[in-house]
Amino acid sequence: MQEINLYLATTLKKLRQEKGWSLDKAASETGVSKAMLGQIERGESSPTIATMWKISTGFHQSLSSLLEPPAAESSNTRIRPPSAQPTSLASDGAPIVPIFPYEERFGFEMFELTLQPGYERLSEPHIQGVTEHVVVLSGELELLVDGEWIQLSKGASVRFSGDTPHGYRNCSQAPTIFHNILHYAQKGA
C-alpha cells in the first residue's frame, strides 16, 4: 500500500503542475479538500477509493493511472500470474484489485471488486464517455442504473453508461465478487 501511496503522491503533484493548477483549483475541480490533496501529495494520507475516483474524474484520468505506471508497449500479450497481481486497495468494505491498468492504446482498465455483506456505494459520474462492463463472478450484486436497482446473480453481466450516477450494493449474507471494466471514449472519436 505504501508503494501505491508514493506513486499517487508523485503522480497527483505532477498532474496538478502540468495543468498549472493550485491546490485550490484542484480542490474545486475534484471536490476533494485542499488539505486532503496536500496530504496525498506529501504521502501523508491513504485516500479511500471514493476519494481517488473524485481525483481521477476531476483530472480527467483513469483511476488506475493514479495507482501504477503504464505497462511497456512492447507487446499486446500481458500475463500476470497470481503472485504478480497487485494487492487489493482497502475501500470501506469493498476491496478493489487493479487487474489491467489503463493503457491508452486499449482504452480500458479492469478491476476486481469484493463487496462485503451490507455494503452500498453510490458512485458519482465518471469522465464523460465512460462505459462500464460488470460481470458477477460470485454472490449477488444490486446495481443502480438509470435510477433503478437491478439484481444480478453469479454469471450475469451488464454494460451501462458510467458517466451518469450509479451504484453498487450487496444485500446478501455472503461476499459478492465481480469484475468491472471501464472503457474510456477515444479522444477525438
Side-chain angles (χ1 to χ4, degrees):
M1 195 63 180
Q2 183 64 23
E3 189 176 305
I4 290 172
N5 286 341
L6 290 175
Y7 183 78
L8 173 61
T10 57
T11 301
L12 177 58
K13 188 171 188 173
K14 180 181 173 194
L15 284 171
R16 191 174 59 78
Q17 290 173 341
E18 286 174 355
K19 290 186 174 284
W21 289 359
S22 65
L23 280 172
D24 284 322
K25 173 69 172 172
S28 173
E29 293 293 323
T30 63
V32 176
S33 74
K34 175 182 172 180
M36 175 60 79
L37 290 171
Q39 290 173 356
I40 294 168
E41 283 189 8
R42 292 187 303 274
E44 298 171 355
S45 177
S46 296
T48 65
I49 293 298
T51 298
M52 291 174 62
W53 274 119
K54 287 181 176 183
I55 293 169
S56 69
T57 299
F59 278 92
H60 301 283
Q61 299 289 315
S62 66
L63 174 64
S64 60
S65 68
L66 301 176
L67 304 175
E68 64 181 280
E73 293 192 26
S74 61
S75 171
N76 284 337
T77 303
R78 183 164 184 193
I79 299 171
R80 283 183 123 162
S83 61
Q85 288 293 338
T87 57
S88 71
L89 307 169
S91 173
D92 60 356
I96 182 170
V97 177
I99 296 175
F100 289 109
Y102 178 80
E103 292 184 52
E104 190 170 344
R105 63 189 170 140
F106 298 124
F108 78 93
E109 60 189 340
M110 182 176 180
F111 301 98
E112 181 174 288
L113 288 90
T114 303
L115 306 186
Q116 297 304 318
Y119 177 86
E120 180 176 314
R121 179 171 187 281
L122 301 178
S123 179
E124 296 177 15
H126 300 301
I127 302 166
Q128 186 174 6
V130 169
T131 303
E132 289 197 37
H133 305 77
V134 169
V135 179
V136 181
L137 303 176
S138 67
E140 295 180 2
L141 172 68
E142 290 189 19
L143 185 65
L144 178 64
V145 179
D146 297 327
E148 189 175 323
W149 288 100
I150 56 173
Q151 189 165 5
L152 303 168
S153 57
K154 179 181 177 180
S157 56
V158 64
R159 177 178 60 210
F160 63 94
S161 295
D163 59 3
T164 61
H166 54 284
Y168 312 89
R169 71 182 178 195
N170 178 2
C171 294
S172 75
Q173 298 301 311
T176 298
I177 301 172
F178 66 97
H179 282 169
N180 189 351
I181 300 169
L182 284 84
H183 183 266
Y184 294 81
Q186 292 183 356
K187 295 174 183 161

